[in-house]
Amino acid sequence: QSGEVAANPEQYDESYLCPVQVGQTTLNLDFDTGSADLWVFSTLTPKSESTGHSLYNPSTGTKKSGYTWDISYGDGSGASGTVYADKVVVGGVTATSQAVEAATSVSSQFEQDTDNDGLLGLAFSSINTVEPQAQKTFFDSVKGSLAKPLFTADLKKGAAGTYDFGYIDSSKYTGSISYVNVNTANGFWEFTASGYAVGSGSVSGSVGDAIADTGTTLMYLPTTVVQAYYNKVDSADYDSNQGGYTYDCSENLPNFLISLGGKTFTVSGTDINFAPVDSSGETCFGGIQENTGIGMSILGDIFLKSVFVVFDQTQSTPRLGFAAQ
Ligand SMILES: O=C(CCCl)NNC1=[NH+]CCN1
């Protein structure tokens, strides 16, 4: 089988939500290559936490007795609950008995984002949080039945993009796809990024260890790289109250170039202009921030909306393919 599903941006492209049939209900889920749990708001979620969300009704599923899950994300958000097996359909691709993690508790970030009905993890199943036995991601459940064991991400700035499962649609990218091998030891789509450049500078240095993470909004890079970037932004400064680099919204940001698999990709300065910090619209928060304390770089949506990405398990070593959109 193969299929395509829309990835609809929230405000400021903070995350991208995709319609997914879970049991007999269609929910809008955040496809997240940085985690491996498929969890949903449900009729088991306290009303005080689930108002405004579409809810999975576990009555259509088979309860996995004694199974629980509890996940925390890099941004401090989290959720926990119980586990059911049920039908999940993404863009016409069906997992007949997918582990569906029904939330009995969610953090405030999820409670408040009423467009988001849960997450569909697309990292490696090794980091699934279900106890006493880790469960397969949706991709792992259907991988063997896909025309090709791969999926692609084509996210866009302020417009609907797509995730495709089982095939590469050559109309969605330009030029050739350049591949890098993935290190799955930490359960992420983790690889080594090469040199970088700011604006019209020449590509040099090394970004290093990084993950491709559709579930993270911004780009988190080494301090040296981030300082080199904002040195080219006159009004930029590190604002500890905002927790990162801010600048005058009226200032045009330079492009950021990164070399992956021997090819250089350009993230436009307009894409790096993330969002105003308040309703005055004077000060803006940058889409490139420091990876301090994370232990690796994260190429999140700010980067991913500039490229077409292949999450490829056609070979014994998984790999990532990057092409310009
Ligand atoms: O948690 C992470 C970072 C992994 Cl290093 N990404 N995925 C995600 N989902 C919701 C917020 N962030």
Side-chain angles (χ1 to χ4, degrees), residues 9-16 157-158 217-218 273-276 278 302 305:
E10 291 196 303
Q11 186 180 33
Y12 303 119
D13 299 346
E14 192 271 332
S15 72
Y16 294 81
K157 179 179 179 66
T217 309
L218 308 183
N273 179 32
F274 172 52
D278 60 33
I302 292 283
K305 69 181 87 168

Side-chain angles (χ1 to χ4, degrees), residues 89-132:
V89 186
V90 175
V93 175
T94 298
T96 52
S97 185
Q98 171 66 36
V100 176
E101 302 172 31
T104 56
S105 175
V106 301
S107 67
S108 57
Q109 296 97 321
F110 290 115
E111 188 182 320
Q112 288 159 18
D113 183 359
T114 51
D115 295 331
N116 178 324
D117 303 321
L119 267 74
L120 188 144
L122 291 169
F124 293 86
S125 300
S126 58
I127 58 172
N128 175 271
T129 73
V130 173
E131 294 291 354

Side-chain angles (χ1 to χ4, degrees), residues 50-191:
S50 66
T51 303
H53 294 271
S54 296
L55 305 177
Y56 167 64
N57 185 331
S59 64
T60 63
T62 303
K63 184 169 178 22
K64 294 184 74 75
S65 179
Y67 282 62
T68 57
W69 59 280
D70 187 340
I71 194 163
S72 299
Y73 297 104
D75 62 2
S77 62
S80 61
T82 52
V83 187
Y84 294 78
D86 210 335
K87 176 176 170 180
V88 172
V89 186
V90 175
V93 175
T94 298
T96 52
S97 185
Q98 171 66 36
V100 176
E101 302 172 31
T104 56
S105 175
V106 301
S107 67
S108 57
Q109 296 97 321
F110 290 115
E111 188 182 320
Q112 288 159 18
D113 183 359
T114 51
D115 295 331
N116 178 324
D117 303 321
L119 267 74
L120 188 144
L122 291 169
F124 293 86
S125 300
S126 58
I127 58 172
N128 175 271
T129 73
V130 173
E131 294 291 354
Q133 198 177 28
Q135 300 297 298
K136 284 185 177 181
T137 64
F138 170 79
F139 177 61
D140 268 356
S141 297
V142 301
K143 184 169 65 178
S145 68
L146 293 177
K148 289 181 179 176
L150 60 83
F151 64 94
T152 68
D154 180 19
L155 301 181
K156 296 191 176 301
K157 179 179 179 66
T162 52
Y163 287 95
D164 296 344
F165 290 84
Y167 67 102
I168 293 176
D169 180 342
S170 58
S171 73
K172 294 186 177 178
Y173 64 89
T174 61
S176 60
I177 300 175
S178 72
Y179 286 92
V180 293
N181 281 339
V182 163
N183 172 357
T184 63
N186 298 315
F188 299 120
W189 291 90
E190 188 169 359
F191 64 101

Side-chain angles (χ1 to χ4, degrees), residues 32 34-35 73-75 77 110 119 188 211 213 215-216 294 296 298:
D32 180 10
S35 69
Y73 297 104
D75 62 2
S77 62
F110 290 115
L119 267 74
F188 299 120
I211 67 170
D213 182 3
T216 289
I294 299 176
M296 65 204 159
I298 301 182

Side-chain angles (χ1 to χ4, degrees), residues 216-289:
T216 289
T217 309
L218 308 183
M219 292 173 73
Y220 295 90
L221 302 174
T223 306
T224 50
V225 177
V226 178
Q227 285 168 351
Y229 182 79
Y230 288 109
N231 277 352
K232 299 291 184 192
V233 181
D234 295 340
S235 64
D237 91 313
Y238 186 89
D239 181 340
S240 49
N241 290 322
Q242 292 298 331
Y245 281 88
T246 61
Y247 52 90
D248 292 351
C249 297
S250 61
E251 184 168 5
N252 292 327
L253 295 179
N255 298 340
F256 180 78
L257 286 71
I258 185 167
S259 172
L260 306 172
K263 215 169 145 82
T264 298
F265 296 91
T266 299
V267 184
S268 156
T270 49
D271 281 2
I272 299 168
N273 179 32
F274 172 52
V277 301
D278 60 33
S279 53
S280 74
E282 281 166 15
T283 304
C284 278
F285 195 78
I288 287 177
Q289 297 295 340

